[in-house]
């Protein structure tokens, strides 16, 4: 059985992960509309991963006899100034999610919910990778995409993500 306070945070995290999927779908939508199909694909893959994160938590709660309440998903679109603005927003969002995961972990620790602490370890590692990916993308854009040719090549590279 998952501790009640921890379960409430996990339930909210399902919503945050689905919102993440929605946010990345919106970013994919932004790039699709501008003909940057590689960027669009990269964020589409990201959206799918986020949905997988939400379902992992959902499964964990169900398997541990903890009730799930599906909450409303916020509209993600706020419009973006340019490509860098999208990439910076993605990094900020991942930092926000990392903090959220850490908060649940700390609460689980406080409540001696060892099973949830073990479960969250995967997410803690994953967030490290997600932040690195988001930061690397910003670096690549800054270094290589100063002209049309650089942007074209970066778009091609991102389109290879499976
Ligand atoms: Fe599931 Fe990128 O946080």
């Amino acid at each position: 059985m998952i501790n009640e306070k921890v379960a409430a945070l996990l339930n909210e995290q399902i919503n945050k992960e689905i919102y993440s999927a929605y946010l990345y779908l919106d970013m994919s939508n932004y790039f699709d509309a501008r003909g940057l199909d590689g960027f669009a694909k990269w964020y589409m893959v990201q959206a799918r991963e986020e949905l997988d994160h939400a379902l992992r938590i959902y499964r964990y709660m169900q398997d541990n006899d903890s009730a799930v309440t599906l909450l409303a998903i916020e509209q993600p679109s706020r419009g973006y100034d340019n490509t860098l603005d999208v990439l910076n927003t993605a990094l900020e969002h991942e930092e926000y999610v990392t903090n959220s995961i850490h908060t649940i972990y700390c609460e689980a620790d406080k409540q001696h919910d060892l099973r949830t602490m073990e479960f969250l370890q995967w997410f803690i590692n994953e967030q490290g990778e997600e932040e690195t990916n988001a930061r690397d993308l910003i670096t690549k854009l800054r270094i290589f995409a100063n002209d049309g040719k650089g942007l074209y090549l970066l778009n091609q590279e991102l389109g290879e993500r499976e």
Side-chain angles (χ1 to χ4, degrees), residues 2 7 11 35 41 67 89 109 115 119 126 152 155 160 162:
I2 304 170
N11 195 81
K41 169 127 183 263
T89 302
D109 191 13
R115 194 182 301 166
F119 169 73
E126 176 73 6
Y152 177 79
N155 184 62
E160 286 164 14
E162 293 302 334

Side-chain angles (χ1 to χ4, degrees), residues 13 16-17 20 24 46 49-51 53-54 93-94 97-98 101 122-123 126-127 130:
Q13 192 64 33
K16 288 176 186 175
E17 299 293 346
S20 301
Y24 288 129
Q46 193 65 28
E49 280 196 5
E50 297 301 347
L51 198 53
H53 297 170
H93 182 70
E94 286 306 327
V97 173
T98 297
I101 295 286
W122 183 90
F123 282 88
E126 176 73 6
Q127 281 311 120
E130 301 256 279

Side-chain angles (χ1 to χ4, degrees), residues 100-135:
S100 184
I101 295 286
H102 289 184
T103 298
I104 308 172
Y105 187 91
C106 289
E107 188 61 35
D109 191 13
K110 197 171 141 195
Q111 303 296 340
H112 301 147
D113 185 343
L114 306 188
R115 194 182 301 166
T116 299
M117 288 169 73
E118 169 71 21
F119 169 73
L120 288 175
Q121 200 58 57
W122 183 90
F123 282 88
I124 291 169
N125 297 339
E126 176 73 6
Q127 281 311 120
E129 286 177 24
E130 301 256 279
E131 283 184 30
T132 301
N133 289 342
R135 216 171 285 120

Side-chain angles (χ1 to χ4, degrees), residues 30-57:
Y30 173 90
F31 289 120
D32 258 329
R34 282 158 185 79
L36 287 168
D37 59 343
F39 280 84
K41 169 127 183 263
W42 201 92
Y43 282 103
M44 182 63 81
V45 173
Q46 193 65 28
R48 289 207 179 95
E49 280 196 5
E50 297 301 347
L51 198 53
D52 177 62
H53 297 170
L55 296 177
R56 264 177 192 258
I57 302 171

